Amino acid sequence: MSLLLPPLNAVRAFVAAARHQSFTLAAGELHVTHSAISRQIKTLETHLGVRLFERRVRQVSLTVEGLRFYSQADAALQQLLAATEAVMAPTPSRVVRINVRPSFAVRWLIPRLPDFVEQYPGIEPHVLTSTLSPEKADERFDVAIRRGHSNWPATIELRPFLEDEICLVVSPTLLASHPLAQPGALTQLVMLWSKTRKGDWQSWLASSGAGNLKPAGQMQFDHVHFVVQAAIDGLGFAVVPTSLAASAIAAGQLLCPFPEQRLAVNRYYYGLAPDAVPQAQFFSAWLQGYL
């Protein structure tokens, strides 16, 4: 078949000349000389074995064979152009946008994202952190993860995710210097707490039966992930959700000195936006692996 195909440059020159009915205008369109157009068309005529143009003084017109060839060649070039544009167009981004709270991003999601990337190397997870509820989100998202089933858009079907509880944590170094045989010993230590979960300490106290125990001091932070880091660094003890401290506990950076005194809190849910990209389904399947 390759022996039958005419030279592409010659076909381009012919189509331009046929469209304009002028070698001069075709030369201007293709940014070549008049003589170059003439040579290309002569090459094409030789290849096809027919005359394509009637040549007159300062005028050319298509022959019957030329008109027949033009109708097919022009369509073929247009199809080739469309195929080229389709191949050269940027590949649509395979991004999945995940809306989570800052502490959940730092302490739960990001440490586990390498596993998702390994399983789905063609998908780019974009983590959007926000303290706003999904109902009030100011950025488009494909997947949102939040604690509890309040303040979600009605258009999102919630899916149960992580169950959670709060526990008291402290660094091994601090525990070695200040043994905690019973909750009463916490009066020797500084309490670390977050404005976003300021009721956890009182809830833990009430469930442990420790009464109105008062720590030696307090340090406040904006988000739980700062509290967890401060506890890792030995600044004091903290009562935090195990979902956000699990990685540090597993790594031995934090200990839970009263493991039996844990208190269940609202579980996490996640949902896919109605206009979520198709790859959000893969992220959903990955999340299901942590149930």
Side-chain angles (χ1 to χ4, degrees), residues 98-106 127-141 143-147 196 223 225:
I98 310 148
N99 182 304
V100 293
R101 290 183 66 90
S103 291
F104 189 83
V106 173
V127 180
L128 313 174
T129 61
S130 175
T131 57
L132 298 174
S133 66
E135 190 175 47
K136 298 179 179 178
D138 53 8
E139 288 186 84
R140 179 188 167 277
F141 63 83
V143 183
I145 305 172
R146 286 294 189 281
R147 191 185 298 279
T196 57
H223 298 289
H225 62 273

Side-chain angles (χ1 to χ4, degrees), residues 102-126:
S103 291
F104 189 83
V106 173
R107 291 294 167 184
W108 193 92
L109 180 59
I110 292 175
R112 292 166 175 80
L113 273 184
D115 177 64
F116 175 79
V117 173
E118 182 179 357
Q119 290 189 45
Y120 304 97
I123 300 177
E124 300 176 16
H126 286 196

